[in-house]
Amino acid sequence: MTQTQTQTIQTQFEKKFESKEDGKDVEYILEYKVNERNEVCKLKITKILYPLECCANNVKTVIEIGEGKTEPYRVEVYRVRDSWNGTGRDDLMSIEFNDYGEESPAFLWREYLESIESIDDLKELAKKIIEYINDVYMLSIDSFME
């Protein structure tokens, strides 16, 4: 009997951007993993607002895209609170979908993610994700209404 092992090789990339919004420090982090076929298999955008008060509180809002349990894509949006008084997570949205396309969405292309060089580029990425999910949803509902 012969056993074969399959090893999944993933490479992780990260970009950080900092700014001030309403007088508070804000950090944006773009993280993505690339598999052995050079495809983006996980994407995470984090916005960290800190401090909320003088005692080291911060709030992270996260958009995370990865492989779904039943469909090819899963999008989660959640908020994490870190403070001296404890931590907590609020799940804001979670959706799985299948775009039935032949290639991954453009916002999951490695070349596109490598081209992001600023906070404005990162916000444009988030906007593209929202538009794409909305388009998939509308096409699904439209086909139902026909």
Side-chain angles (χ1 to χ4, degrees):
M1 180 161 85
T2 308
Q3 285 186 338
T4 58
Q5 271 187 321
T6 305
Q7 183 178 8
T8 303
I9 300 169
Q10 295 184 346
T11 306
Q12 185 164 337
F13 298 89
E14 182 177 279
K15 294 183 180 186
K16 293 184 179 185
F17 308 96
E18 296 178 359
S19 73
K20 284 215 179 272
E21 294 178 13
D22 298 325
K24 297 184 190 252
D25 292 329
V26 179
E27 181 177 29
Y28 292 88
I29 304 170
L30 170 65
E31 299 172 84
Y32 58 97
K33 290 183 181 178
V34 177
N35 63 22
E36 67 276 358
R37 294 183 311 268
N38 207 28
E39 300 168 332
V40 175
C41 56
K42 187 166 189 174
L43 171 66
K44 185 175 179 182
I45 304 169
T46 306
K47 176 182 179 180
I48 306 171
L49 177 65
Y50 48 150
L52 291 180
E53 297 178 17
C54 60
C55 54
N57 294 343
N58 70 58
V59 174
K60 300 174 189 172
T61 304
V62 180
I63 301 171
E64 195 168 323
I65 301 174
E67 190 175 307
K69 294 177 183 170
T70 60
E71 297 292 342
Y73 302 105
R74 178 181 183 87
V75 179
E76 291 183 276
V77 180
Y78 55 91
R79 185 178 306 123
V80 179
R81 298 171 315 285
D82 294 321
S83 72
W84 288 356
N85 297 325
T87 61
R89 174 177 161 154
D90 300 316
D91 291 323
L92 304 175
M93 181 202 82
S94 178
I95 184 172
E96 289 192 14
F97 65 93
N98 186 340
D99 67 347
Y100 300 103
E102 293 184 13
E103 59 185 4
S104 61
F107 57 80
L108 288 178
W109 294 353
R110 183 176 178 175
E111 298 79 17
Y112 178 74
L113 296 174
E114 288 173 348
S115 73
I116 293 175
E117 296 295 330
S118 68
I119 292 173
D120 290 336
D121 292 345
L122 198 58
K123 288 180 179 181
E124 185 64 28
L125 169 63
K127 184 178 172 184
K128 285 180 186 289
I129 293 168
I130 292 166
E131 289 171 354
Y132 186 84
I133 293 169
N134 187 53
D135 289 348
V136 169
Y137 174 74
M138 293 307 294
L139 287 171
S140 300
I141 296 300
D142 285 348
S143 67
F144 177 76
M145 300 303 285
E146 292 176 345

